[in-house]
Amino acid sequence: MNVVAESERLARLRALPLSPALRAMAEGRLPHPQLWRCQTGTPFYVYRGAEVPAGPVLIPLWDWNDWVLGVRERPDGLEFVRFDIEMPEEVECLARTEAGLWARLFDALYEDDLELEELEAIARAVDYRYWPLQLQSREAAEPHWGGGSAHSHWLQAWTAAIDARAGAE
């Protein structure tokens, strides 16, 4: 199996440059109550027979319904990925930095129609300092989406921009 042993998972995550908030979520503790929307529990599937994608060793973060979110170490840095347990060969790179992963998660939280004050509180709880910029970018781009894949393209571009910014710091 191309996944870190369950008994080594938390130690491997602690060895990575991850925030206390992300490590807490990986341990099943939510830094803010509304973050339940981003996970359905600590990793279960990959340790109970689900296949994992080929490539670098996966360190699972948590499950999100039938999806597994994890991080892989690559020669050029971290890679945050997700895959459906029914289609593990279709792994998606969500972000290359933790800030990029938070960008993705905050987009999902925004799509859940949380109040802006609630999103700001979550951003403070996880120390996601790019939330105000993300909200501004989204509000400027959203009127031009018109459906289709425009939102997805914006999110990919936004995540890449955050990855570049966070990687340069």
Side-chain angles (χ1 to χ4, degrees):
M1 251 174 116
N2 208 22
V3 62
V4 69
E6 189 171 15
S7 61
E8 297 174 21
R9 185 179 77 86
L10 293 178
R12 289 284 299 273
L13 288 171
R14 284 186 210 108
L16 297 176
L18 302 177
S19 70
L22 192 63
R23 281 197 299 266
M25 285 186 69
E27 294 170 3
R29 296 179 291 111
L30 301 178
H32 188 280
Q34 288 293 346
L35 286 170
W36 68 266
R37 297 166 182 271
C38 295
Q39 70 175 33
T40 53
T42 55
F44 177 81
Y45 299 116
V46 296
Y47 295 120
R48 304 302 179 274
E51 290 184 40
V52 298
V57 173
L58 177 74
I59 307 171
L61 292 169
W62 56 75
D63 290 343
W64 191 356
N65 299 313
D66 288 347
W67 293 85
V68 175
L69 273 76
V71 60
R72 305 192 296 191
E73 294 179 272
R74 302 185 72 86
D76 59 344
L78 299 179
E79 176 184 48
F80 293 90
V81 299
R82 77 174 174 189
F83 63 94
D84 185 315
I85 61 170
E86 300 294 328
M87 297 176 286
E89 67 282 353
E90 295 182 24
V91 64
E92 177 184 9
C93 176
L94 296 174
R96 295 301 310 267
T97 65
E98 180 180 337
L101 177 65
W102 286 119
R104 291 287 191 132
L105 296 176
F106 270 80
D107 186 70
L109 291 167
Y110 184 93
E111 289 291 318
D112 273 352
D113 293 324
L114 291 177
E115 296 292 327
L116 292 179
E117 295 80 21
E118 192 82 37
L119 290 164
E120 290 167 8
I122 298 167
R124 284 191 303 275
V126 301
D127 197 26
Y128 179 55
R129 61 187 175 161
Y130 299 109
W131 169 243
L133 294 174
Q134 182 168 342
L135 182 60
Q136 288 172 359
S137 176
R138 183 185 175 109
E139 288 176 342
E142 202 167 13
H144 308 287
W145 288 348
S149 60
H151 172 242
S152 178
H153 291 297
W154 169 83
L155 183 56
Q156 287 175 342
W158 174 253
T159 303
I162 292 302
D163 281 345
R165 235 181 176 167
E169 295 175 353

